[in-house]
Amino acid sequence: MDRKTKRLLLLVVSCSVTGVILGGTASWAESSMCLQANQVTNDCLTQNPMQKTIQGMSTGLLAGAGAAFGAAWNVRHQD
């Protein structure tokens, strides 16, 4: 594995991990706020907070990986 491939892999992994953390935290906080609202909706009561958090984490993973590949592609084409 050459140096450029290792840097790309490190960029993708770090952005993906950051996306997972941010996406999971945001979804968990949204679920918590939904349950603590003055008027709790039926949608809020029927959703599973753990499933909502996992969905946020997977969305963050895809967003982070996409951002990393987009940044790498942009840098490659600017040279």
Side-chain angles (χ1 to χ4, degrees):
M1 196 181 291
D2 65 334
R3 189 174 185 168
K4 285 187 178 184
T5 305
K6 287 181 183 178
R7 284 189 348 199
L8 175 62
L9 184 62
L10 181 62
L11 178 67
V12 170
V13 168
S14 62
C15 287
S16 297
V17 168
T18 303
V20 166
I21 293 169
L22 290 176
T25 304
S27 294
W28 178 77
E30 183 181 341
S31 295
S32 295
M33 287 177 56
C34 180
L35 292 173
Q36 294 174 357
N38 290 335
Q39 292 181 333
V40 179
T41 62
N42 191 30
D43 186 41
C44 180
L45 293 174
T46 58
Q47 70 183 2
N48 183 357
M50 186 57 110
Q51 184 179 10
K52 183 83 170 164
T53 302
I54 291 172
Q55 285 177 341
M57 292 170 77
S58 62
T59 302
L61 173 70
L62 294 175
F69 280 117
W73 183 81
N74 191 20
V75 168
R76 181 176 177 206
H77 287 291
Q78 283 182 353
D79 290 341

